[in-house]
Amino acid sequence: MKNYIDIFKVLANQTRLDMLMWLKEPEKHFDKPTAHLSKNINEKGGVCVGDIQEKAALSQSTVSHYLAMMQHAGLLESERHGKWTYYRRREETIEEVAEFIKREL
């Protein structure tokens, strides 16, 4: 069973919620081509931390902390490629949370 308390804590912050929404449609929200995105990463999808930071207009440490919280809660997954880390949504978890809300709440 998922730790729904951690998930709901993550979702209770507007910026983290925005990040999750941006990552749902990255092509729409991150139109700047990321030069360091290799084809094998691109096939799986993912947005570089620097691009997320730029859009959020927050410090790198705050954005990294938020992304780590979201990953720990199971809402995101990441892949390191060289010195860059790319994040994408973990759709299975998001679907489980939606079902939990529909079923239990």
Side-chain angles (χ1 to χ4, degrees):
M1 179 171 170
K2 297 269 177 234
N3 186 346
Y4 291 108
I5 300 297
D6 285 346
I7 291 171
F8 291 133
K9 283 180 185 177
V10 166
L11 297 176
N13 175 283
Q14 185 63 53
T15 303
R16 291 189 295 261
L17 195 56
D18 288 344
M19 289 177 179
L20 216 78
M21 289 189 285
W22 299 336
L23 291 171
K24 182 177 183 180
E25 298 179 284
E27 306 81 22
K28 177 180 173 182
H29 296 284
F30 300 95
D31 57 358
K32 177 182 134 194
T34 305
H36 307 290
L37 193 62
S38 75
K39 288 187 181 195
N40 71 347
I41 298 284
N42 197 25
E43 289 170 7
K44 295 177 184 175
V47 177
C48 184
V49 174
D51 293 333
I52 297 169
Q53 177 195 351
E54 186 177 307
K55 186 161 182 72
L58 296 171
S59 71
Q60 187 271 330
S61 61
T62 299
V63 170
S64 291
H65 176 68
Y66 283 1
L67 292 170
M69 288 176 70
M70 294 164 72
Q71 186 172 11
H72 178 75
L75 296 169
L76 296 180
E77 54 189 15
S78 68
E79 188 165 337
R80 190 131 174 103
H81 188 71
K83 59 182 178 176
W84 294 279
T85 304
Y86 296 87
Y87 284 86
R88 61 186 163 268
R89 289 166 37 123
R90 211 164 167 272
E91 296 300 331
E92 306 82 29
T93 301
I94 293 167
E95 289 170 16
E96 286 177 32
V97 172
E99 282 301 313
F100 171 79
I101 291 171
K102 190 187 307 184
R103 183 181 63 248
E104 302 294 333
L105 303 178

